[in-house]
Amino acid sequence: MKIGNITAVTVTIVSLLLGGCDAGPGRSASALSSSSDAAPSPEPSRPSREASPAPAAGKGGGNPDDINGDGFADLVFTNPYWDTPPDLAIVYGSKDGLNPRTRTVMDAADFGFKSIIRTGTVDLDGDGFADVVIYGFPVGGYRGTSYLVWGGPEGVDPDVRPVVVQPPVFEPDFPYWGVPGDFDGDGNGDLAMGVPKTKGTVAADLAVLYGPFTREGAARRHTIHPGPDDGDFAGLVAGRIDGRRATGLLVHGGGDGEQSPSWLFGAGPGGLSRHSRKLHEGNASAFGDFDGDGYDDVVVADDGSRNNEPGYDTEPPEVDGVMTVYYGGAGRAPQVFKDIGYSWELVVGDFDGDRRDDLAIELGSDRVELLHGGAAGLRRDGKVIRRLGPAKEPGGKKSAPEQRLATPRAAADYDGDGRDELALAWFAPVHQPAWKGSGRSQWWVTDGGRDESSFDTDGW
């Protein structure tokens, strides 16, 4: 499985324990449709190896993606491959978009971690600056826990050790994954996480830690809900944080590689609901308002992962390659896209500025498809975006086509023009011998039509 870093915050627990490797079907390149974006991938600019300047000092404002509070969203990412740098990187936004020369790069080893996984951003201490929620694996440990990296007027301080989140129930070796949201809609960032049902078990209940948090990582209050079933969680996905409404939460049930069921928990002024709605099987998911009615909608799709045990390597027709959109407005039936294929990555953003969210999907290894929102919901109009990583590996060998596709990683308004931009990234495939140990990535930031910027992390 792959780690999905979408604008709607996702933590896929099983995939991280597997080291970020793809357990899905074999990748194969296929021809693009005539409506695809056929322009060649521009060569991303390479930043200077000199020390990065500090970002512009901001005054805050509560944007959940704005680490330094200057009014522009920032890009926060980790490498999706296990134990591969950069461990945590922040590229700061500006009136000209993302500026790779103004960045903060943090090394897991400096904090006694062997690896760091970024899980989301939100203002958790109420100071107006977005903070970063990470999952850190201490050296010598096989399970990690959630930590907080505080934002501020000059971004994050790479020399300050992350603060551990204080869970309401503590059990050694339990994976405390914290997913940020605003589950009571009061404007203060919150965290949802699984907590152990009983001592010595991986079966989980659902805890919500409500902000603002202290600088010691303690929540103002918390609630603990019974888990939706008697097992563990394979993933948690929180709705988009926009300061106007409470964010819902999707809980993916545990499994053994197959597509798993999920449960949707609503939210409101009283906090996260104790009641849930069971949704379609599918390990890929995202929140957005695709019809623009002010209510959160939820996408659930087949990400292509399969149980490889004999007799369990297929999914039923209603699951295989199917994507379902559940609309939050009253009386709207789900929208079903049959045979859309395997949705390896989902990213949501309003790329055309019409106040309806759009959806970018990595469909296999050959294309990223853009579905536009509208009054009737998502529409599939054949828009394909294709950006490619290096044509050659180190040493000069030609790169395999299925290893070159840049995938959707994030979306936000990085230049403050009122429209989201889509960030696509290619990461060096470290499972290939020529790229082993490389932390290189290439990024393209697009409005869905043209590239607004691009950069290469070689040398970070």
Side-chain angles (χ1 to χ4, degrees):
M1 299 180 192
K2 298 175 67 180
I3 302 168
N5 179 13
I6 55 183
T7 303
V9 178
T10 305
V11 173
T12 308
I13 298 173
V14 173
S15 66
L16 296 177
L17 294 178
L18 290 173
C21 297
D22 184 3
R27 295 182 174 220
S28 61
S30 62
L32 294 176
S33 67
S34 60
S35 60
S36 65
D37 184 346
S41 301
E43 184 68 22
S45 61
R46 296 193 180 191
S48 169
R49 293 175 182 265
E50 299 175 357
S52 303
K59 298 181 179 180
N63 182 333
D65 297 308
D66 185 2
I67 308 297
N68 62 322
D70 64 349
F72 303 100
D74 307 313
L75 174 68
V76 183
F77 68 94
T78 55
N79 197 297
Y81 296 106
W82 197 254
D83 294 344
T84 303
D87 295 299
L88 181 67
I90 302 169
V91 181
Y92 295 94
S94 72
K95 63 180 179 61
D96 298 317
L98 292 175
N99 182 359
R101 298 184 184 279
T102 307
R103 65 186 186 271
T104 302
V105 180
M106 302 176 71
D107 188 339
D110 290 342
F111 308 116
F113 298 160
K114 61 182 179 182
S115 61
I116 293 174
I117 306 298
R118 176 259 188 186
T119 65
T121 58
V122 72
D123 181 9
L124 285 167
D125 58 358
D127 65 353
F129 301 90
D131 309 304
V132 184
V133 184
I134 64 173
Y135 189 82
F137 285 82
V139 173
Y142 69 97
R143 294 193 190 276
T145 194
S146 291
Y147 295 81
L148 306 179
V149 181
W150 304 113
E154 295 185 352
V156 302
D157 186 340
D159 297 322
V160 175
R161 184 180 177 88
V163 174
V164 67
V165 174
Q166 299 181 24
V169 177
F170 180 74
E171 177 72 17
D173 296 329
F174 188 87
Y176 290 100
W177 301 92
V179 179
D182 181 4
F183 302 111
D184 55 4
D186 68 351
N188 294 305
D190 311 316
L191 290 178
M193 63 171 55
V195 294
K197 280 183 179 289
T198 57
K199 186 175 181 179
T201 181
V202 295
D205 283 330
L206 180 61
V208 181
L209 285 62
Y210 291 95
F213 282 63
T214 69
R215 282 296 180 117
E216 289 72 42
R220 176 173 55 89
R221 65 182 181 93
H222 73 267
T223 59
I224 297 179
H225 304 207
D229 66 3
D230 293 329
D232 59 347
F233 303 157
L236 301 174
V237 182
R240 300 189 73 187
I241 306 165
D242 61 10
R244 295 183 292 118
R245 55 179 179 258
T247 54
L249 183 74
L250 198 68
V251 178
H252 286 278
D256 191 23
E258 70 279 2
Q259 299 301 296
S260 301
S262 55
W263 291 266
L264 176 63
F265 289 82
L272 198 70
S273 172
R274 291 181 175 271
H275 304 288
S276 63
R277 174 187 177 188
K278 190 175 183 179
L279 304 184
H280 202 269
E281 287 88 352
N283 294 338
S285 56
F287 282 84
D289 182 7
F290 304 112
D291 55 3
D293 64 355
Y295 295 94
D296 272 342
D297 311 317
V298 181
V299 174
V300 176
D302 178 2
D303 74 348
S305 65
R306 296 291 185 268
N307 187 317
N308 60 4
E309 296 176 6
Y312 292 91
D313 57 355
T314 61
E315 293 288 350
E318 64 271 18
V319 175
D320 186 36
V322 174
M323 182 177 78
T324 306
V325 186
Y326 296 88
Y327 289 95
R332 288 215 57 179
Q335 183 181 16
V336 180
F337 293 83
K338 297 181 178 180
D339 301 321
I340 196 169
Y342 301 137
S343 304
W344 288 0
E345 298 284 355
L346 304 176
V347 168
V348 173
D350 179 10
F351 306 123
D352 54 13
D354 66 352
R355 298 186 179 274
R356 297 184 178 97
D357 283 327
D358 310 307
L359 178 68
I361 313 176
E362 179 192 1
L363 293 172
S365 62
D366 66 313
R367 70 192 190 278
V368 174
E369 189 167 332
L370 190 62
L371 281 67
H372 288 96
L378 283 175
R379 66 183 185 275
R380 193 178 185 190
D381 53 16
K383 174 63 177 178
V384 173
I385 300 173
R386 195 180 193 217
R387 299 291 180 269
L388 300 175
K392 293 183 179 181
E393 299 177 350
K397 182 181 177 181
K398 187 177 180 180
S399 296
E402 63 269 21
Q403 300 291 346
R404 296 186 61 197
L405 183 70
T407 64
R409 302 298 299 179
D413 185 4
Y414 301 115
D415 57 8
D417 67 353
R419 298 169 53 177
D420 289 333
E421 290 82 46
L422 173 65
L424 300 143
W426 168 88
F427 287 90
V430 296
H431 52 279
Q432 299 295 324
W435 291 107
K436 186 175 178 60
S438 172
R440 184 179 176 184
S441 62
Q442 292 184 345
W443 292 79
W444 293 264
V445 183
T446 175
D447 61 6
R450 67 178 183 88
D451 290 341
E452 298 191 355
S453 63
S454 62
F455 60 92
D456 189 321
T457 68
D458 188 28
W460 282 25

